[in-house]
Amino acid sequence: MLIGINGAAIGLAHAPWAELWMAGLIVAAIGLSFAAERALPYTDEWNTSVGDTRRDVAHAFINETSLLLTVLVIPLMAALSPFGERWPSSLPFVVQVLIAIVVTDFGVTLAHLASHKVAWLWRFHAVHHSVKRFYGFNGLMKHPLHGALELAAGTVPLLLLGMPKAVAEVLTVCIAVQLLLQHSNADYRIGPLRKVLALNEGHRFHHLKWAGIGDVNFGLFTLVWDHTLRTFSFDTQRRFSSDDLGMAAKPNYPVGYLAQLAEPFRATGACNLKDNADGDNLQTVATQS
C-alpha cells in the first residue's frame, strides 16, 4: 500500500487523465484494504457490520470525492497567492511529494490535537470517534466540515507556496491510503517503525473511549510530532476489542449518516472526551513513552 499504491500515483501523476488514475488508485486501495482485513484480521468481530456499512460508505464517498475535487482549486489558489511561485519545482518529483507529506502531516496533527482540546472542534471530530469497530473505512469516516478544516490546516501552506496540481493529486492518494492503513483491521506488524509511522498499531490507542486516554497519537503520516508534543503512547501487551472503542461520555451517539452530520449543531452536541466520565473510566490503559 505505502510503496505500491503511492508509488503508482507518483508514476502516473503526469499521465493523461491523471485525475481518473488517482481516483482508480483510491478505489484499488479500498479493495486491497478490505481483502487484507479478511485474509489476516486483527479480530473477526471488526469485519462484521453493526449496522454501520451504509453510513461508512456514505462518509467515504462524500469525503473522498471532496478530497479529489479540492485539486481543481489549485490553479486559482496559485494565481491568488501573495507569495508567488515559491514551490521547489527544480527538485525531483518524489522529493516534492515527500515535502507535501511532511507539511501536511504537521498541519493535520496540530488541527487534530486542537480538535481534542477545543469544545466546538470536538463536536465535529466526535463523529470520527463514535465508531464501534476499527477497520479501514473508519479512516474515511469524518464530518465533512471537520475533514475540510483538517485538510486546510495541512495544505493551505502548500497551496500558498504554489504546489503543482500533480503533487496535490498524488497527495490525495497518499492521504487516502494512510487513513485506510491507519484504521485497518489487518493484523500487520511494522516492528520498531510503529514508533515512527502513524499506522494501525499505534492509532488504536487514539480510539480508546475513556476520558483522556485517547488523547494520544494524533499524527496523520508519522508520530514524530507526537514524540515532540509528548502525546505518544504505546503498550506492546495491549489488546483491543469493540468494548474499548467509541465515547464513554456519549455511548448513544447517532449512527445514521444524516444524524451524524446534524449532531454537532445540536444544543446538546457531543460531549468532550473529558466530560461526564466516571472514575472507573480513568484507568490507565496505555503506557506513556
Side-chain angles (χ1 to χ4, degrees):
M1 294 281 277
L2 286 176
I3 298 173
I5 298 291
N6 291 343
I10 292 172
L12 294 167
H14 296 98
W17 302 101
E19 298 90 344
L20 294 180
W21 281 112
M22 299 304 132
L25 286 171
I26 290 175
V27 172
I30 292 172
L32 286 171
S33 175
F34 273 94
E37 289 173 332
R38 278 149 184 76
L40 190 68
Y42 176 82
T43 175
D44 288 327
E45 67 174 325
W46 289 346
N47 281 341
T48 303
S49 173
V50 289
D52 54 4
T53 300
R54 293 178 62 184
R55 176 205 68 195
D56 292 353
V57 169
H59 274 294
F61 178 79
I62 296 297
N63 291 329
E64 288 309 300
T65 301
S66 300
L67 183 60
L68 288 167
L69 289 177
T70 56
V71 176
L72 300 178
V73 308
I74 288 176
L76 176 62
M77 289 292 296
L80 297 176
S81 173
F83 301 103
E85 185 65 37
R86 302 289 183 87
W87 187 261
S89 301
S90 60
L91 294 176
F93 185 72
V94 66
V95 176
Q96 296 180 47
V97 172
L98 290 174
I99 290 172
I101 287 173
V102 170
V103 173
T104 301
D105 187 41
F106 177 67
V108 171
T109 299
L110 292 184
H112 193 179
L113 175 63
S115 298
H116 280 246
K117 306 298 181 183
V118 180
W120 71 269
L121 286 175
W122 169 251
R123 291 191 180 95
F124 290 93
H125 185 49
V127 170
H128 181 66
H129 278 270
S130 67
V131 299
K132 297 298 178 66
R133 58 184 178 130
F134 195 85
Y135 76 123
F137 255 16
N138 289 160
L140 309 179
M141 179 188 160
K142 298 182 178 183
H143 195 287
L145 293 180
H146 188 266
L149 185 149
E150 279 194 334
L151 184 64
T155 60
V156 166
L158 298 170
L159 295 174
L160 292 176
L161 291 174
M163 175 175 59
K165 186 168 177 285
V167 174
E169 288 170 348
V170 174
L171 182 61
T172 62
V173 175
C174 293
I175 291 173
V177 167
Q178 185 65 22
L179 292 173
L180 288 166
L181 287 173
Q182 192 175 64
H183 297 81
S184 178
N185 183 35
D187 193 17
Y188 67 88
R189 315 291 175 85
I190 55 174
L193 287 176
R194 65 191 174 208
K195 294 185 177 181
V196 180
L197 300 180
L199 297 175
N200 63 355
E201 286 186 273
H203 197 67
R204 291 186 188 112
F205 292 90
H206 181 74
H207 279 267
L208 287 169
K209 69 182 181 182
W210 296 294
I213 299 301
D215 290 342
V216 298
N217 301 352
F218 293 98
L220 172 61
F221 287 104
T222 76
L223 296 170
V224 172
W225 306 115
D226 285 289
H227 287 287
T228 303
L229 297 167
R230 302 182 67 83
T231 56
F232 172 78
S233 180
F234 193 84
D235 179 2
T236 56
Q237 304 302 313
R238 176 76 192 187
R239 290 287 299 180
F240 297 82
S241 70
S242 294
D243 291 337
D244 299 314
L245 307 179
M247 294 178 286
K250 197 77 172 179
N252 298 316
Y253 197 85
V255 175
Y257 179 72
L258 295 178
Q260 289 192 340
L261 294 188
E263 183 66 12
F265 300 99
R266 290 166 56 88
T268 57
C271 298
N272 189 286
L273 278 174
K274 299 173 181 59
D275 294 338
N276 303 328
D278 58 47
D280 291 340
N281 285 338
L282 294 175
Q283 59 182 296
T284 300
V285 295
T287 302
Q288 293 290 343
S289 299

